[in-house]
Amino acid sequence: ETGVTQTPRHLVMGMTNKKSLKCEQHLGHNAMYWYKQSAKKPLELMFVYNFKEQTENNSVPSRFSPECPNSSHLFLHLHTLQPEDSALYLCASSQSRANSPLHFGNGTRLTVT
Amino acid sequence: QKEVEQNSGPLSVPEGAIASLNCTYSDRGSQSFFWYRQYSGKSPELIMSIYSNGDKEDGRFTAQLNKASQYVSLLIRDSQPSDSATYLCAADTGANSKLTFGKGITLSVRP
């Protein structure tokens, strides 16, 4: 399997549920990212991990909790979300150096009811 | 606030025409610039990167960068219906490949 793989592709959850999004990259990259994409808004960077260490938390509410056990895997744990958190959540990876482009996964379409 | 601005669009061109997509950025320290294409319901896909002033050509795509004017553009020659998508401009705005994205512009190529 190649590229960046995200699961699940679609997720519907209630506001009291706990769920997790999973991302795996097979590109040998050492940086991984979570982005949120909402309608009519730019992609919003949420978290950045370099060599498993979190290097960026873009003022994300604590109901989103990232986990990066190694350079190939990234999780986003979700709990007590709000309807406005409904969006496309994109995982990406890159080499951890300047000029490196991001490679995106297919995303998880999240709906919070 | 470091920003990347794109015209809101949508942009509609006839098949075979040149589509011109424009982008400006606010961070003078940005060194790397990228164009991503995103089909409806899909994830962004990298189509061009540019790091130096001037033009960079790849097939029907040409990226142009003018750092003095803080301006990046993407030209698509001989536009095809399959080019219909949303195009996202991105610039690096910090260390570790942190990218800031524009809102994107939707291109429609009419057969």
Side-chain angles (χ1 to χ4, degrees):
Chain A
E1 196 162 356
T2 59
V4 182
T5 304
Q6 286 186 247
T7 55
R9 293 295 306 277
H10 300 273
L11 178 62
V12 179
M13 60 186 290
M15 289 190 284
T16 58
N17 290 160
K18 289 185 180 180
K19 296 286 183 183
S20 295
L21 310 185
K22 180 183 175 182
C23 177
E24 184 174 0
Q25 59 96 2
H26 304 272
L27 299 170
H29 291 159
N30 41 45
M32 296 189 78
Y33 310 76
W34 281 115
Y35 277 87
K36 176 183 178 182
Q37 189 173 38
S38 305
K40 301 190 189 302
K41 287 186 178 181
L43 277 166
E44 299 173 55
L45 178 65
M46 300 176 71
F47 301 103
V48 181
Y49 279 83
N50 282 278
F51 297 97
K52 303 187 301 177
E53 299 298 320
Q54 188 180 118
T55 54
E56 184 99 17
N57 177 337
N58 203 22
S59 302
V60 181
S62 60
R63 58 185 183 270
F64 294 92
S65 176
E67 179 188 0
C68 188
N70 55 61
S71 293
S72 298
H73 293 85
L74 185 64
F75 296 88
L76 188 63
H77 303 299
L78 315 172
H79 64 98
T80 60
L81 294 192
Q82 304 299 310
E84 60 264 30
D85 296 323
S86 299
L88 179 67
Y89 288 84
L90 290 161
C91 174
S93 70
S94 75
Q95 294 293 353
S96 184
R97 62 171 185 258
N99 300 338
S100 296
L102 300 178
H103 296 261
F104 286 91
N106 285 327
T108 294
R109 174 68 62 185
L110 174 68
T111 303
V112 181
T113 61
Chain B
Q1 181 81 359
K2 297 172 181 176
E3 294 182 339
V4 174
E5 300 283 349
Q6 294 182 251
N7 290 342
S8 58
L11 175 65
S12 180
V13 301
E15 185 174 356
I18 296 176
S20 178
L21 312 177
N22 305 315
C23 173
T24 59
Y25 60 94
S26 64
D27 183 6
R28 285 201 168 273
S30 295
Q31 297 294 320
S32 308
F33 305 88
F34 306 93
W35 283 98
Y36 286 82
R37 177 177 62 200
Q38 187 173 21
Y39 292 114
S40 181
K42 302 292 186 182
S43 62
E45 170 194 12
L46 179 70
I47 53 172
M48 287 289 283
S49 59
I50 187 166
Y51 311 111
S52 304
N53 277 331
D55 294 0
K56 179 181 178 182
E57 187 174 319
D58 184 0
R60 295 186 296 111
F61 299 98
T62 299
Q64 299 174 318
L65 173 61
N66 183 325
K67 290 186 179 179
S69 301
Q70 296 177 244
Y71 178 90
V72 191
S73 66
L74 180 69
L75 301 179
I76 306 175
R77 289 183 301 281
D78 188 23
S79 295
Q80 301 297 308
S82 59
D83 295 325
S84 299
T86 296
Y87 289 81
L88 306 174
C89 174
D92 70 312
T93 52
N96 301 318
S97 296
K98 178 182 171 182
L99 295 186
T100 297
F101 285 82
K103 289 184 180 180
I105 183 168
T106 298
L107 171 67
S108 175
V109 180
R110 309 186 300 271

